[in-house]
Amino acid sequence: MAAEKTGEAYKIQILEKQLQFTEKLKFVTNRIHAANNVNEILFQLKNDILGLFDAEGVTIYLIDPIKRQLISKYLVGSAIKEIRVPISHASIAGYTAHDVKMVNIGDVYDAKELFAIDPNLKFDGSWDQKTGYRTKQILASPILFENKILGVIQLINKKTQPRFTKIDEKSIGEMARVLGIAFRNQSRMLHTRFDYLISRNIITDEELKAATALAREQKKDIETILMENYKVKKSDIGMSLGIYYKCKFIEYSPSVFIQRELLKGLNVAYLKKSYWVPLSLSDRKAVVLIDNPRDAKVLDIKNLIKANEYEFQVALREDIIKFLEAPEFDFGASGSMSDILAEIDVKKEEEDEAVVIESEYDEKSNTIVRLVNQIIIDAYEKGASDIHIEPSKIAKKTFVRYRVDGVCMKHLEIPLTYSSPVVSRLKIMASLDIAERRLPQDGKIKFIYKNKPVELRVATLPTVAGEDVVLRILASAEAMPLEALHLSASDYTNLKEIISRPYGIILVVGPTGSGKTTTLHAALAYINTPEKKIWTAEDPVEITQEGLRQVEVKPKIEFDFARAMRSFLRANPDVIMVGEMRDRETAHIGIEASLTGHLVLSTLHTNSAPETITRLIDMGIDPLNFADSILGILAQRLVRTLCKKCKEPYHPEREEFESLSQSYGERFPQLGIVYDDKLALYKPKGCDECNHSGYKGRAGIYELLIGTKDIKRVIAKRGTVEEIRQQAIKDGMRTLYQDGIAKVFSGLTTYKQVRSVCIQ
């Protein structure tokens, strides 16, 4: 009987506490919804919120949507300080936001308890170490509105019990719901394009009014005044504009590729005055950058650019001007590319196509000179490796295409009648015979842009539509660090070991444009010390390094690789690098040099490391000498890498995972990758940074064959390619295909890109 009364009393006590909590929650809820901004909730109402719970402390985090971080603000005097926490398993609040789960922990320093929640969960004790405070219990709940994460509320240290209770969990859930509604309402209350800055306490109302008055007085835009006078970051202004206009904010970047077709008929002076610029037109969708997406000039834009769908993105006026003054538009004092194209188009309309065979322009015309110069400048600015000039009688146009990251893209169209003057101008620049149009020719152009030398290799080829021209851009560059080549850990260790040997031969193999020279120079940079004399023979010298004695071969005067190497051997070298082993004589001298105490590095055009060995033996190289000299062969390809800014994670189906693991082979478990709910691969999405392709830049995939005793034995016996390959795999070689799959799992590229450059 006494027990029943005690139970009833306990139930009444719990009910009373719940009623008290409900009353207090109503009071705090009303105060939260009456707050003028988010900062008022974080600072002035924090104690009211804490008063609802039997806890020592409470921390409220907001989401920073730009950096994908949690932000907690606190006052130090009158100054506002921030604590930033990544949305990840590296902290309890970060885990709560990442997995959108409530967390109740009895002892944050108990590794077993954390592991039971999630194997990757960690407690960040840096704040405890800094302040001397001892955090023990934590109860954290995500702050949501309509299933969208807006922040996290975290209670610290239960006062009267060893851990937070189920009632506490229910209570914090209620408070999180109230905060979610409040944060959402605060964002809806924004009614000017700078309210985000005020709500985040970046500027005050008074400062905004003062900035507005100063902008009016100095005839500048308010954004410029805020950045110059009030030190507001451009990223914060961009966030504010993006929220207000409900669109993407774009900053100027020279890597943003603008389609030429959109510029025809547009006056650059008008675009500068109106502050807008077209960015792209694909699948009948136009993307336009503008300073005010709600301005009436949007209607004019839709009349000028015909499309089924329009996407307007916002930018600062100064950035729009930068886009309009970029090389795509501007020839300096000579006028813009769009003006030149418009000039050519007007002249074309005046000509009778049935009568006119040649354009009135010739290779000395100012218009043609400016056009050719700008084609080269555009390619350099866009990071293109090649320029293709391609006349077409069917389309009655000449197409200009750039190869960027290994992929050709159309850049420009000019009338077919102006193809001959453009080709002749390029021939003059390359010191070629402009009268010879029946035979292929090749030469070089040395071009100066922004006080930097840009060298181009030129090749002309006669076609049925006229002469094609291909220009390879050889911009001078510095050596890449060896660790930046994206080698696997074992390949990196093995490569460092063999290039540190005093003598022997190392070959880097692959097709044209696969980055062999870059790899060789990275290896040379690693061993380039004052104690070593290093000679290089190259065609041409693309990468320069202090300490290297670099020679450019000139086959036209019979100064080839073989002759250069014979000269090097008389110049007391420690290391010799020869650009390519094109013939038996060069290969023979290289191997002889490696056997007489020199480290020799070179390249060869073969598909794989094992094939290189049989190729050299077929060229007449003694297999016994080659077996004695070989240190290693590195085969490589370049694959397009996913754009870091927009690549999209996804959880692969079991079938896709099994297919990749089976393709890799029996050594797949060595990668340490297992199929579970956390496994993520990445796919291309597309953004302005990568020209909506989803890919930006390239990286290498490799297979490194080391000259082990077993490999040397197979070479000496003139083993087949398959025998060499199997022995190399036994010795630990990861094939090109396997390295590519490993880089797919690392999120660097996609399986499609790997398959495009190598086969299993």
Side-chain angles (χ1 to χ4, degrees):
M1 192 73 176
E4 290 180 5
K5 288 183 178 180
T6 303
E8 288 294 328
Y10 178 74
K11 290 179 181 178
I12 293 171
Q13 186 180 5
I14 294 297
L15 184 59
E16 287 177 350
K17 284 184 177 181
Q18 290 177 344
L19 290 173
Q20 289 174 7
F21 175 83
T22 303
E23 289 299 319
K24 289 181 180 179
L25 180 62
K26 287 180 180 178
F27 172 76
V28 175
T29 299
N30 291 334
R31 292 204 63 191
I32 289 173
H33 290 317
N36 294 317
N37 53 53
V38 172
N39 283 342
E40 189 173 323
I41 297 173
L42 296 181
F43 300 138
Q44 298 181 19
L45 302 182
K46 195 171 183 178
N47 287 334
D48 290 333
I49 295 171
L50 183 59
L52 291 170
F53 303 98
D54 181 30
E56 291 181 2
V58 60
T59 306
I60 300 173
Y61 294 92
L62 298 172
I63 292 283
D64 181 341
I66 298 176
K67 298 182 179 179
R68 291 294 298 163
Q69 294 177 333
L70 291 173
I71 309 172
S72 174
K73 297 185 178 184
Y74 61 98
L75 287 172
V76 177
S78 59
I80 297 176
K81 302 291 184 179
E82 288 184 353
I83 298 174
R84 287 183 172 265
V85 176
I87 300 177
S88 70
H89 293 186
S91 69
I92 293 170
Y95 171 85
T96 304
H98 184 274
D99 284 29
V100 196
K101 290 181 180 177
M102 184 181 293
V103 179
N104 188 349
I105 301 172
D107 185 355
V108 294
Y109 288 97
D110 185 346
K112 291 183 179 179
E113 185 175 1
L114 297 184
F115 186 87
I117 296 172
D118 189 281
N120 298 312
L121 181 59
K122 297 177 182 177
F123 170 66
D124 183 1
S126 58
W127 184 254
D128 281 8
Q129 294 172 4
K130 183 178 178 181
T131 61
Y133 183 81
R134 176 64 163 83
T135 304
K136 188 161 186 177
Q137 303 96 355
I138 282 183
L139 175 61
S141 172
I143 299 173
L144 305 171
F145 184 85
E146 294 182 352
N147 295 322
K148 181 181 179 182
I149 183 76
L150 301 180
V152 170
I153 178 171
Q154 180 174 276
L155 298 177
I156 302 169
N157 290 357
K158 181 75 172 174
K159 288 181 179 179
T160 58
Q161 293 181 350
R163 68 182 304 137
F164 290 99
T165 65
K166 293 291 184 182
I167 295 175
D168 293 325
E169 291 179 7
K170 182 178 179 182
S171 300
I172 199 174
E174 283 293 313
M175 178 50 62
R177 185 184 64 80
V178 171
L179 290 172
I181 296 170
F183 290 164
R184 176 60 176 170
N185 289 341
Q186 288 291 336
S187 66
R188 284 181 169 175
M189 287 168 61
L190 302 181
H191 57 277
T192 75
R193 65 183 192 273
F194 302 115
D195 279 343
Y196 172 84
L197 303 178
I198 296 172
S199 68
R200 289 293 189 274
N201 212 44
I202 298 170
I203 59 171
T204 64
D205 285 312
E206 292 72 20
E207 288 173 334
L208 179 59
K209 290 176 183 177
T212 304
L214 190 60
R216 193 179 298 113
E217 179 184 330
Q218 296 184 1
K219 295 183 179 179
K220 295 181 178 180
D221 56 81
I222 302 173
E223 291 86 349
T224 300
I225 297 295
L226 289 173
M227 288 188 291
E228 291 180 353
N229 293 44
Y230 296 91
K231 308 304 178 186
V232 179
K233 296 177 183 177
K234 182 186 283 190
S235 58
D236 289 329
I237 291 178
M239 186 65 191
S240 189
L241 295 177
I243 290 174
Y244 179 72
Y245 290 118
K246 294 182 175 62
C247 66
K248 188 184 294 184
F249 172 76
I250 300 295
E251 290 189 51
Y252 171 74
S253 171
S255 64
V256 176
F257 195 88
I258 299 176
Q259 295 179 359
R260 290 287 184 203
E261 291 80 357
L262 294 180
L263 308 180
K264 291 184 178 180
L266 297 178
N267 185 289
V268 174
Y270 162 73
L271 296 178
K272 287 182 178 180
K273 186 178 179 180
S274 302
Y275 298 110
W276 66 273
V277 58
L279 289 185
S280 66
L281 178 61
S282 58
D283 299 327
R284 302 300 297 160
K285 177 183 177 181
V287 179
V288 180
L289 199 60
I290 191 170
D291 68 323
N292 182 356
R294 297 180 185 175
D295 196 286
K297 62 192 172 193
V298 166
L299 298 175
D300 295 332
I301 295 171
K302 291 182 178 180
N303 289 328
L304 291 170
I305 300 176
K306 300 298 182 183
N308 293 339
E309 184 182 350
Y310 298 87
E311 178 185 338
F312 289 94
Q313 300 176 352
V314 67
L316 300 185
R317 289 184 173 184
E318 64 176 28
D319 281 357
I320 293 174
I321 296 298
K322 285 180 182 178
F323 275 112
L324 293 169
E325 291 179 347
E328 291 96 314
F329 298 87
D330 196 19
F331 272 91
S334 303
S336 69
M337 174 67 94
S338 57
D339 292 339
I340 293 174
L341 295 178
E343 181 182 343
I344 290 175
D345 282 349
V346 168
K347 185 59 64 178
K348 175 176 176 290
E349 290 173 4
E350 294 174 356
E351 295 172 345
D352 184 352
E353 293 183 3
V355 176
V356 177
I357 298 175
E358 295 290 339
S359 165
E360 69 171 36
Y361 293 116
D362 60 23
E363 62 275 1
K364 298 178 183 178
S365 165
N366 183 50
T367 302
I368 296 299
V369 170
R370 289 185 290 131
L371 177 61
V372 170
N373 287 351
Q374 195 59 43
I375 287 172
I376 295 172
I377 290 171
D378 282 2
Y380 179 81
E381 288 285 345
K382 301 303 177 189
S385 60
D386 301 271
I387 305 169
H388 298 261
I389 313 292
E390 304 167 334
S392 170
K393 284 185 177 179
I394 298 173
K396 294 183 179 179
K397 294 177 182 178
T398 296
F399 299 101
V400 179
R401 295 199 294 165
Y402 292 164
R403 186 181 293 277
V404 180
D405 294 337
V407 178
C408 282
M409 59 175 65
K410 189 168 74 173
H411 177 66
L412 185 65
E413 295 177 7
I414 57 176
L416 183 63
T417 51
Y418 301 104
S419 173
S420 181
V422 168
V423 173
S424 296
R425 173 60 188 165
L426 289 168
K427 285 183 176 180
I428 290 173
M429 295 172 72
S431 300
L432 303 178
D433 184 359
I434 64 171
E436 180 57 74
R437 299 183 179 182
R438 299 168 300 170
L439 296 174
Q441 298 184 68
D442 59 88
K444 294 179 182 177
I445 294 174
K446 289 190 176 179
F447 194 84
I448 303 297
Y449 177 58
K450 291 184 178 179
N451 297 321
K452 293 181 180 179
V454 180
E455 190 168 321
L456 300 101
R457 270 192 288 192
V458 182
T460 68
L461 294 95
T463 71
V464 293
E467 284 186 281
D468 271 34
V469 183
V470 179
L471 300 96
R472 166 66 62 87
I473 300 175
L474 307 170
S476 58
E478 296 180 354
M480 183 181 289
L482 197 64
E483 58 269 18
L485 294 181
H486 293 286
L487 289 157
S488 67
S490 60
D491 285 350
Y492 178 64
T493 302
N494 289 334
L495 184 60
K496 284 197 302 182
E497 197 274 328
I498 62 174
I499 63 177
S500 300
R501 300 271 187 93
Y503 56 86
I505 188 166
I506 299 170
L507 298 173
V508 179
V509 303
T512 301
S514 59
K516 299 185 295 296
T517 302
T518 300
T519 300
L520 282 179
H521 271 278
L524 289 176
Y526 183 80
I527 60 175
N528 184 8
T529 61
E531 294 79 25
K532 290 182 179 178
K533 183 64 177 283
I534 303 175
W535 285 95
T536 76
E538 303 171 67
D539 181 25
V541 174
E542 299 180 47
I543 300 171
T544 57
Q545 292 190 55
E546 185 68 33
L548 268 57
R549 310 312 301 155
Q550 296 178 263
V551 174
E552 192 166 296
V553 299
K554 294 178 172 58
K556 289 183 179 179
I557 59 172
E558 297 183 357
F559 181 47
D560 54 16
F561 286 123
R563 189 168 181 178
M565 287 191 71
R566 284 195 296 268
S567 300
F568 290 166
L569 292 174
R570 295 191 292 270
N572 191 25
D574 293 303
V575 181
I576 296 172
M577 191 271 271
V578 58
E580 184 182 345
M581 288 187 170
R582 294 176 177 171
D583 50 53
R584 181 188 179 279
E585 184 181 8
T586 308
H588 177 74
I589 296 171
I591 290 170
E592 288 296 324
S594 68
L595 291 171
T596 55
H598 305 92
L599 181 65
V600 179
L601 296 89
S602 187
T603 72
L604 210 65
H605 288 108
T606 55
N607 290 324
S608 68
E611 287 178 43
T612 305
I613 296 170
T614 57
R615 171 74 63 83
L616 287 169
I617 293 174
D618 291 342
M619 286 170 61
I621 299 302
D622 186 341
L624 292 174
N625 286 343
F626 185 49
D628 286 341
S629 65
I630 183 173
L631 293 176
I633 302 173
L634 181 71
Q636 67 180 69
R637 299 288 189 277
L638 290 179
V639 294
R640 299 174 76 191
T641 53
L642 288 161
C643 175
K644 294 179 181 178
K645 191 172 182 180
C646 68
K647 68 178 183 179
E648 200 169 49
Y650 73 96
H651 182 62
E653 297 292 335
R654 169 71 73 170
E655 291 76 10
E656 182 181 358
F657 174 81
E658 293 293 343
S659 175
L660 288 173
S661 62
Q662 290 173 12
S663 297
Y664 188 93
E666 61 184 13
R667 294 192 178 185
F668 181 76
Q670 293 179 1
L671 295 179
I673 299 168
V674 296
Y675 187 83
D676 55 26
D677 293 339
K678 295 175 184 176
L679 177 66
L681 298 182
Y682 291 84
K683 60 184 178 181
K685 183 180 180 182
C687 65
D688 295 324
E689 189 72 20
C690 60
N691 194 32
H692 299 281
S693 67
Y695 298 93
K696 186 174 177 64
R698 288 190 292 176
I701 58 174
Y702 307 91
E703 69 178 24
L704 179 59
L705 182 151
I706 297 295
T708 62
K709 291 181 180 179
D710 291 328
I711 282 290
K712 292 176 185 288
R713 211 165 12 250
V714 177
I715 295 172
K717 292 179 180 178
R718 294 178 177 265
T720 65
V721 172
E722 187 57 29
E723 287 172 340
I724 297 169
R725 180 176 179 272
Q726 290 301 327
Q727 184 59 55
I729 291 173
K730 286 181 183 177
D731 293 339
M733 182 184 80
R734 177 194 279 182
T735 67
L736 284 166
Y737 188 77
Q738 289 174 331
D739 195 45
I741 290 178
K743 287 180 168 63
V744 170
F745 279 105
S746 71
L748 189 66
T749 187
T750 61
Y751 182 62
K752 178 182 178 182
Q753 294 301 316
V754 173
R755 286 300 302 269
S756 71
V757 297
C758 67
I759 56 176
Q760 190 172 2

